[in-house]
Amino acid sequence: MPDWVWARISDSLAAEAAPRRRTPVWVRWGGGLVAASVAVLAVGLAVTSFSGGGDPTAIVAEGAPEAATAPLAQAMPKTAVDSARSVIAEPRKLSFAGMVPPALHLIDSQTDYSADQLAGQVKSVLQEMNMAPAQALTALKAAPIELVVPEPQPRGILLSAQQMRDCITKLTQLATSTALLIDWSTVDGQEAGVVVAPEYATERSTPDPTELDIWVVDHDCDVKALTHIRMP
């Protein structure tokens, strides 16, 4: 081994042995901040790609012997593997190209709604989202054609853009309507969707975001509760 190669390896090993404080690295992904807690040190090897369907434990290192890479998955802590997966996995999206967007926002607010407090809880969620009537009307006029989708199991109405469009049309009785939000959360402890939509006088009329209908639906868009609120 050339002397200069051995010197660089020795310096690297000495630097790694010295105590130091690790600072977490934050990666922005899909609108959120995710901790990238896995660091792989490769001496003399170039890591070229991830393989295995996006599994971060399957790392291909150019020129690396099989025996050197095989123990990697076993050596990585479960929390580190999960963090790496969360960084790499791309969130599922639905495209509404070619149709009137059925909703402005698809969220999982983790609110445990209750039937007797539904109106007040929805108002609080809208306030936190800065969805007062004026802002809601502006957003409705520029409805997105693609949204990141929460992942309930089973997905039900969130399985496809068409199923979501059919559900909102069924609820509002209008094929050109757009809901302000679908919050896939829980109601009285049971998983359910809370759909909030403005009133439309006619198919061609401007929606009225001061008058809101609220439905609680299951995965098949069957209505479990319905109420109405007036926004100031």
Side-chain angles (χ1 to χ4, degrees), residues 16-212:
E16 286 299 313
R20 61 181 180 178
R21 183 177 178 181
R22 296 187 61 187
T23 302
V25 179
W26 294 92
V27 179
R28 184 170 295 278
W29 185 260
L33 292 176
V34 181
S37 58
V38 182
V40 178
L41 174 66
V43 179
L45 299 174
V47 177
T48 58
S49 66
F50 287 99
S51 65
D55 188 343
T57 63
I59 296 182
V60 180
E62 186 177 333
E66 209 173 286
T69 57
L72 180 61
Q74 290 82 2
M76 294 172 69
K78 184 177 184 302
T79 54
V81 173
D82 291 343
S83 295
R85 282 199 181 105
S86 67
V87 172
I88 294 168
E90 184 174 353
R92 189 172 68 91
K93 297 180 181 179
L94 291 183
S95 172
F96 306 125
M99 68 175 69
V100 176
L104 290 182
H105 300 281
L106 303 177
I107 66 172
D108 175 7
S109 70
Q110 300 185 11
T111 301
D112 185 15
Y113 294 94
S114 62
D116 58 343
Q117 298 180 31
L118 185 61
Q121 290 173 308
V122 167
K123 286 182 178 181
S124 296
V125 171
L126 290 173
Q127 184 178 12
E128 290 175 7
M129 295 178 65
N130 194 28
M131 291 291 285
Q135 288 80 5
L137 184 58
T138 299
L140 284 166
K141 292 177 179 178
I145 62 170
E146 185 178 77
L147 289 176
V148 174
V149 188
E151 293 287 357
Q153 295 294 335
R155 292 173 181 164
I157 65 171
L158 302 185
L159 181 63
S160 72
Q162 190 59 57
Q163 284 180 259
M164 192 185 306
R165 176 66 266 171
D166 291 344
C167 178
I168 300 303
T169 299
K170 170 187 171 181
L171 297 177
T172 63
Q173 297 294 296
L174 196 62
T176 57
S177 60
T178 299
L180 294 184
L181 65 89
I182 300 175
D183 185 0
W184 205 269
S185 193
T186 59
V187 179
D188 293 327
Q190 300 296 314
E191 185 175 342
V194 175
V195 181
V196 183
E199 284 192 347
Y200 290 75
T202 66
E203 184 174 346
R204 295 182 179 275
S205 65
T206 301
D208 183 358
T210 65
E211 301 288 342
L212 303 179

